[in-house]
């Protein structure tokens, strides 16, 4: 008898899952809370599905063998709990893609930096000559290419906490964790649950796998006991026994008491101390899989970074405009602020993920001259600014274009306008990419005077 799959949530991962499951012989039902999704049927052309848009998924469980919910849906939702009670297997889209893939998986997770690390790691593996797919939370679902992969190839995957929750057998041959700071607490409820979700990247590793961990992050350091894999550490502050660290001006790789000077830190193209950490993580993932150090050095010297992350847009009237739309939590925004050595006019605010914004203002003295607020969190950020003594430099606005215009008016030659909202884009935009692209369009259309 033909098995039946129910996919709930028809964004990129849901569409890719539907295609894969159809190809694998399942009868597929697709579901979303929205009654209409523009472009959905074009995206699924040639894939026969039972379409149940606008339905409560609880009504669709009868006869289902496999449930693949969108990563934004908490695993505590009643229909998921009921599915498990009925014996229906519930898995994530990345678990699904992994099951049908024949490639080795090299994975990155963490709160901030994982997209940069995924893109850079992908470039390192491509430079080595191995067929490489860069997939996952970076924008292309793993299920999209799972059936195309072959033994000996590599999937470099960005794996977010929301995606990892539904993993069962998913195994990373090499896994890197950048850092863990508060994020998505609206979804997970508390830090303990969020950390546990991140740690799932390690849980199926074997003794011959590799885990690359941030020695300077106490939460990440504490996860070393969660895996039997070989641990490689990276650090800006210490010299761990095995891993990569900074000594003077040089990046050093040490393994079993033998040391290699990888390169001078100043030759790493992507700016900022946080990107030095990112570069070390990526270099360790590559070294662990046999990639030549000289090749790694060349890629680190040329890799320019990723779109929407501390991305220079243009200068207008002597003012630099920087797109950091990917700054979707306070810790990420702090890293962007640290990387820019000019007086800042900040654009902050968006969807409320229950973040604590007070830490943002620890970097304000002598660095931020004005702060433009918008979105659902504007009042919450303004309250934090008042408590820190910076309420007088905050300016409330009520639209994205208005916020950019106000920031431009507040800036002077030599300043930098930094879009790094410290919040998700939901409610105003479909995603941070859409927000960043509009910022670049508006800034691109500005006149010099």
């Amino acid at each position: 008898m033909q098995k039946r799959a129910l996919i709930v949530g028809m964004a990129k991962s849901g569409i890719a899952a539907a295609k894969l499951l159809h190809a694998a012989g399942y009868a597929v039902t697709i579901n979303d809370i929205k009654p209409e999704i523009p472009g959905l049927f074009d995206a699924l052309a040639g894939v026969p599905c039972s379409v149940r848009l606008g339905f409560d998924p609880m009504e669709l469980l009868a006869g289902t063998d496999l449930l693949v919910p969108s990563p934004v849906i908490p695993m505590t939702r009643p229909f998921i709990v009921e599915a498990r009670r009925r014996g229906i297997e519930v898995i994530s889209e990345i678990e699904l893609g992994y099951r049908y893939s024949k490639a080795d998986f090299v994975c990155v997770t963490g709160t901030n930096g994982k997209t940069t690390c995924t893109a850079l790691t992908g470039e390192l593996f491509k430079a080595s000559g191995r067929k490489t797919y860069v997939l996952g939370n970076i924008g292309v679902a793993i299920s999209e290419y799972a059936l195309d992969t072959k033994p000996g190839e590599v999937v470099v995957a960005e794996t977010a906490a929301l995606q990892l929750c539904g993993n069962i057998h998913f195994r990373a041959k090499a896994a890197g964790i950048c850092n863990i700071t508060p994020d998505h607490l609206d979804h997970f409820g508390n830090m303990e649950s969020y950390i546990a979700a991140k740690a799932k990247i390690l849980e199926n590793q074997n003794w011959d796998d590799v885990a690359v961990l941030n020695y300077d992050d106490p939460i990440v350091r504490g996860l070393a006991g969660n895996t039997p894999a070989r641990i490689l550490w990276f650090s800006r502050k210490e010299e761990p026994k095995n891993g990569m660290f900074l000594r003077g001006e040089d990046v050093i790789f040490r393994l079993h008491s033998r040391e290699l000077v990888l390169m001078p830190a100043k030759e790493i193209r992507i700016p900022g101390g946080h990107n030095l950490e990112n570069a070390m993580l990526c270099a360790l993932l590559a070294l662990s899989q046999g990639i030549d150090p000289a090749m790694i050095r060349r890629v680190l010297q040329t890799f320019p970074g990723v779109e929407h992350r501390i991305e220079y847009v243009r200068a207008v009237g002597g003012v630099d405009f920087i797109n950091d739309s990917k700054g979707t939590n306070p810790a990420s925004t702090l890293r962007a602020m640290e990387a820019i050595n000019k007086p800042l006019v900040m654009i902050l605010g968006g969807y409320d993920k229950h973040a604590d914004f007070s830490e943002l203002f620890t970097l304000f003295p002598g660095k931020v001259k004005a702060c433009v607020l918008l979105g659902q969190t504007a009042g919450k950020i303004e309250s934090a600014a008042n408590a820190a003594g910076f309420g007088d430099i905050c300016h409330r606005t009520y639209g994205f274009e208005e916020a950019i215009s106000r920031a431009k008016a507040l800036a002077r030659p030599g300043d930098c306008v930094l879009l790094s909202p410290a919040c998700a884009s939901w409610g105003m935009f479909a995603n941070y990419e859409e927000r960043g692209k509009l910022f670049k369009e508006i800034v691109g259309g500005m006149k010099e005077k």
Side-chain angles (χ1 to χ4, degrees):
M1 181 180 293
Q2 187 179 32
K3 289 189 174 182
R4 305 187 65 84
L6 171 62
I7 301 168
V8 181
M10 294 312 299
K12 290 179 182 178
S13 64
I15 291 168
K19 292 177 179 178
L20 174 54
L21 286 167
H22 167 66
Y26 279 79
V28 178
T29 298
I30 61 172
N31 167 257
D32 197 287
I33 193 171
K34 302 183 189 74
E36 294 183 12
I37 301 176
L40 175 62
F41 296 107
D42 289 338
L44 288 172
V47 181
C49 298
S50 175
V51 180
R52 295 292 184 268
L53 300 182
F55 281 71
D56 182 343
M58 188 74 83
E59 302 173 13
L60 307 175
L61 296 178
T64 296
D65 299 291
L66 178 68
L67 171 61
V68 184
S70 165
V72 302
I73 300 173
M75 289 292 175
T76 54
R77 285 282 295 275
F79 80 90
I80 295 178
V81 174
E82 174 62 16
R84 285 176 166 157
R85 189 193 70 78
R86 296 188 191 186
I88 298 170
E89 186 176 25
V90 180
I91 64 172
S92 65
E93 179 275 326
I94 63 174
E95 171 77 16
L96 174 67
Y98 172 80
R99 291 185 181 185
Y100 286 92
S101 175
K102 296 180 177 63
D104 293 329
F105 274 69
V106 176
C107 301
V108 177
T109 195
T111 304
N112 298 303
K114 57 186 179 292
T115 298
T116 297
C117 287
T118 303
L120 175 52
T121 302
E123 291 304 309
L124 290 167
F125 277 89
K126 289 175 183 177
S128 75
R130 290 181 71 179
K131 174 70 174 177
T132 303
Y133 299 84
V134 181
L135 306 173
N137 195 58
I138 198 167
V140 182
I142 293 171
S143 297
E144 189 75 29
Y145 288 97
L147 294 174
D148 298 332
T149 60
K150 297 178 177 61
E153 298 177 344
V154 180
V155 170
V156 176
E158 177 182 345
T159 53
L162 298 176
Q163 296 170 306
L164 290 167
C165 290
N167 287 356
I168 300 172
H169 303 296
F170 185 91
R171 173 190 163 206
K173 186 175 179 62
I177 304 181
C178 311
N179 48 69
I180 299 179
T181 57
D183 198 15
H184 296 296
L185 298 187
D186 58 320
H187 182 106
F188 289 101
N190 55 59
M191 271 299 287
E192 290 74 19
S193 296
Y194 177 59
I195 294 167
K198 289 291 187 189
K200 284 180 72 67
I201 194 63
L202 305 173
E203 69 178 8
N204 292 320
Q205 288 193 297
N206 296 327
W207 62 270
D208 56 343
D209 296 328
V210 173
V212 177
L213 304 179
N214 187 343
Y215 191 87
D216 300 336
D217 185 313
I219 296 175
V220 176
R221 191 165 66 244
L223 297 179
N226 288 49
T227 177
R230 293 176 290 127
I231 305 294
L232 294 175
W233 302 101
F234 62 94
S235 174
R236 280 197 283 161
K237 301 175 182 178
E238 305 288 342
E239 295 191 3
K241 183 178 179 181
N242 291 311
M244 197 165 287
F245 53 87
L246 190 64
R247 180 186 292 158
E249 299 298 317
D250 292 328
V251 177
I252 309 292
F253 173 54
R254 179 160 63 195
L255 185 65
H256 305 316
S257 301
R258 299 182 65 181
E259 292 188 358
L260 167 73
V261 178
L262 183 68
M263 64 193 301
K266 66 181 180 182
E267 291 185 6
I268 297 172
R269 180 174 174 181
I270 46 177
H274 66 290
N275 276 324
L276 173 57
E277 294 179 2
N278 293 339
M280 289 193 287
L281 181 153
C282 298
L284 286 170
L285 288 174
L287 285 166
S288 77
Q289 303 306 302
I291 296 179
D292 181 66
M295 183 79 68
I296 294 170
R297 185 162 50 248
R298 286 194 292 273
V299 174
L300 294 179
Q301 288 168 336
T302 57
F303 180 74
V306 298
E307 188 179 16
H308 309 301
R309 187 61 174 137
I310 318 180
E311 178 190 12
Y312 176 80
V313 181
R314 64 176 290 214
V316 182
V319 176
D320 287 344
F321 285 78
I322 303 292
N323 167 31
D324 190 57
S325 183
K326 203 173 187 317
T328 58
N329 58 67
S332 182
T333 294
L334 282 168
R335 286 172 167 80
M337 293 166 67
E338 289 171 341
I340 299 170
N341 296 316
K342 288 189 174 186
L344 295 174
V345 176
M346 302 291 300
I347 302 176
L348 297 170
Y351 178 81
D352 190 0
K353 294 192 287 183
H354 299 177
D356 179 0
F357 295 104
S358 59
E359 63 177 319
L360 285 175
F361 300 97
T362 60
L363 272 189
F364 269 49
K367 194 171 187 76
V368 178
K369 61 187 298 183
C371 187
V372 178
L373 308 177
L374 77 162
Q376 188 182 59
T377 55
K380 190 173 179 180
I381 297 173
E382 188 170 35
S383 295
N386 284 326
F390 293 99
D392 59 330
I393 66 169
C394 290
H395 304 263
R396 292 281 290 272
T397 57
Y398 298 93
F400 195 61
E401 291 194 41
E402 180 192 351
I404 297 169
S405 178
R406 180 71 66 87
K408 180 176 183 289
L410 291 166
R412 296 292 177 266
D415 293 346
C416 174
V417 171
L418 174 62
L419 170 71
S420 188
C423 301
S425 59
W426 309 323
M428 296 180 70
F429 302 95
N431 47 51
Y432 73 83
E433 294 99 332
E434 184 178 284
R435 177 170 63 188
K437 286 176 182 177
L438 180 57
F439 178 78
K440 291 196 289 184
E441 287 175 11
I442 293 170
V443 172
M446 287 179 177
K447 296 181 180 179
E448 284 290 333
K449 294 182 180 179

